[in-house]
Amino acid sequence: KQEVTQIPAALSVPEGENLVLNCSFTDSAIYNLQWFRQDPGKGLTSLLLIQSSQREQTSGRLNASLDKSSGRSTLYIAASQPGDSATYLCAVRGTGTASKLTFGTGTRLQVTL
Amino acid sequence: SAVISQKPSRDICQRGTSLTIQCQVDSQVTMMFWYRQQPGQSLTLIATANQGSEATYESGFVIDKFPISRPNLTFSTLTVSNMSPEDSSIYLCSVRQGGNEQYFGPGTRLTVT
């Protein structure tokens, strides 16, 4: 059974700092990995999708890397802003077209002025 | 990307009653999913709903409690039956496009009193 863990559970940084969020998973047989953002009481916004054959994906100030063999992914946020404050979730999808997403526990990020 | 809407956005219900949540997608999708997010927790998959077939429920979730309909490729409903306070959660509809990226609706916040 796939298990996904995110460290740290919560993080507070001053505006402008670069930061790294970590995600680890126990079963390396994944199809892809997706990072999401969730604002309080809201749905999920997809940030980045990394296929199992890829090493990283970039979108604006966000960069996600994937090391499938070691069961790890990182989300790098450059020059953080107060608007980045949210909970960040990573989710891994197992192999097979009908496989489900398994979600991590999330990292709650607060960017202060 | 897919645009997903849910109705209602929130509701307060009495125990023992039922609530039906609607999910509408702006494009035709084969795979739709229903998730539950209990307070302070990550997401848990309730069931996968594919058009033209019975929904597939995850361990711990049963059709009598969470009946699902999927009448066409753009619409689905989830009913939470005979509610108790433990059913207080955010319920999220999700779709997978192109076999890859997964998108989520804004969620329905349910409080059972």
Side-chain angles (χ1 to χ4, degrees), chain A residues 10-64:
Chain A
L11 181 64
S12 180
V13 300
E15 181 180 14
E17 276 204 4
N18 303 323
L19 58 101
V20 175
L21 307 181
N22 297 291
C23 172
S24 62
F25 46 95
T26 55
D27 184 352
S28 62
I30 66 169
Y31 188 80
N32 59 37
L33 182 146
Q34 206 166 343
W35 282 94
F36 295 90
R37 167 191 173 132
Q38 185 176 32
D39 293 288
K42 305 292 186 181
L44 277 65
T45 300
S46 179
L47 297 174
L48 289 164
L49 171 73
I50 310 178
Q51 302 293 351
S52 62
S53 59
Q54 297 175 322
R55 297 283 294 182
E56 65 179 316
Q57 282 287 332
T58 298
S59 176
R61 294 183 294 108
L62 305 180
N63 176 276

Side-chain angles (χ1 to χ4, degrees), chain B residues 13-81:
Chain B
C13 301
Q14 290 189 341
R15 68 172 66 209
T17 62
S18 298
L19 175 72
T20 295
I21 302 168
Q22 298 179 4
C23 175
Q24 180 75 51
V25 190
D26 69 341
S27 58
Q28 294 185 339
V29 292
T30 302
M31 300 187 76
M32 294 182 77
F33 307 87
W34 285 98
Y35 288 81
R36 180 175 74 180
Q37 187 176 30
Q38 294 178 302
Q41 304 294 315
S42 192
L43 279 75
T44 300
L45 179 64
I46 298 171
T48 301
N50 292 336
Q51 196 268 340
S53 62
E54 295 291 323
T56 302
Y57 289 82
E58 296 297 304
S59 175
F61 297 96
V62 295
I63 187 172
D64 290 346
K65 176 68 174 176
F66 297 101
I68 289 171
S69 76
R70 181 80 201 275
N72 57 52
L73 291 173
T74 63
F75 187 79
S76 177
T77 65
L78 169 75
T79 299
V80 186
S81 303

